Amino acid sequence: MRPRRRWILWLPLLLPFGALGLLRWGGYLLVSSDPLPPHADVAIVLQGSVLGEIARVAGAAQLLREGIAGQALLSVPKQSYWGESVPDAARAYVERRYGGAISNQVVFCETGPEVDSTQQEAESLRECIHERGWREIIIVTSDYHTRRAGRIWRSVLKGMQPPVKMWVYGVDDPEFQPRGWWRKRLWAKTWFYEVTKLIAEAF
């Protein structure tokens, strides 16, 4: 029997196993956090949805409390849809939620209205990193975003002089759960969007 015909015969048996594997481990394909260093200059919080942003800020605050990060940088747009200063509102939120000691360690990098992707955000924040002289950074983002964010950020930081060392730290996000990612509509929607972006950026 020709090899091609053998594959055709085996295909109906392989497809169910492939589907089961995707359901069991597919969520973890998106997750790629690094072991954290004892200390880094700054924890950089990437922009996200409302729920995602709350989780990411909480993760950065924890890194500050534990002394793993010396500062936290929040990536924020300059203004909200209603013309309110986002850095001022963010500062008030951090102080109210985490106290003055944490708030005093937080700085902001304002991005323009043209920033609407992880790639553009990384390119914009690269200038803030260079201006402040940070050499060791932790990228704080949602766990499902870690693999894609890590690939993008390593590409953007490549060739910077002096060089910048980077770690990616993923926080639990209520919009996604790696285990059983198909069980809730929101989790499945997040998985589909993120996988689609990973595939699109690979070509």
Side-chain angles (χ1 to χ4, degrees), residues 72-134:
L73 180 142
L74 269 60
S75 168
V76 295
K78 293 181 180 179
Q79 289 185 332
S80 71
Y81 296 113
W82 299 276
E84 180 185 20
S85 171
V86 174
D88 290 343
R91 173 77 67 189
Y93 169 82
V94 173
E95 186 166 357
R96 184 172 63 252
R97 188 77 179 263
Y98 301 105
I102 294 296
S103 176
N104 290 337
Q105 293 175 275
V106 175
V107 296
F108 298 93
C109 185
E110 299 178 4
T111 59
E114 72 282 354
V115 171
D116 65 352
S117 70
T118 303
Q119 177 78 32
Q120 292 175 341
E121 184 178 21
E123 291 170 352
S124 178
L125 295 182
R126 180 176 56 187
E127 299 304 317
C128 294
I129 294 168
H130 179 72
E131 289 172 3
R132 293 180 178 272
W134 289 321

Side-chain angles (χ1 to χ4, degrees), residues 8-175:
I8 292 174
L9 291 175
W10 279 101
L11 195 59
L13 297 175
L14 293 174
L15 285 176
F17 286 104
L20 288 173
L22 186 64
L23 292 176
R24 176 64 179 85
W25 294 290
Y28 296 98
L29 294 174
L30 304 179
V31 181
S32 182
S33 289
D34 299 318
L36 290 176
H39 184 77
D41 296 327
V42 64
I44 298 177
V45 181
L46 303 187
Q47 296 180 31
S49 65
V50 173
L51 293 177
E53 190 80 8
I54 291 172
R56 297 172 190 188
V57 171
Q62 186 64 30
L63 295 180
L64 291 174
R65 285 197 203 96
E66 295 175 359
I68 295 175
Q71 290 182 288
L73 180 142
L74 269 60
S75 168
V76 295
K78 293 181 180 179
Q79 289 185 332
S80 71
Y81 296 113
W82 299 276
E84 180 185 20
S85 171
V86 174
D88 290 343
R91 173 77 67 189
Y93 169 82
V94 173
E95 186 166 357
R96 184 172 63 252
R97 188 77 179 263
Y98 301 105
I102 294 296
S103 176
N104 290 337
Q105 293 175 275
V106 175
V107 296
F108 298 93
C109 185
E110 299 178 4
T111 59
E114 72 282 354
V115 171
D116 65 352
S117 70
T118 303
Q119 177 78 32
Q120 292 175 341
E121 184 178 21
E123 291 170 352
S124 178
L125 295 182
R126 180 176 56 187
E127 299 304 317
C128 294
I129 294 168
H130 179 72
E131 289 172 3
R132 293 180 178 272
W134 289 321
R135 298 292 171 259
E136 295 182 335
I137 67 174
I138 299 172
I139 303 299
V140 182
T141 190
S142 302
D143 54 1
Y144 68 82
H145 187 229
T146 48
R147 185 172 301 279
R148 189 164 64 88
R151 288 171 55 181
I152 291 171
W153 271 85
R154 287 185 178 94
S155 175
V156 169
L157 295 177
K158 187 177 180 180
M160 277 191 69
Q161 293 299 329
V164 174
K165 193 170 184 179
M166 183 199 84
W167 296 265
V168 178
Y169 175 56
V171 300
D172 292 337
D173 190 312
E175 295 182 327

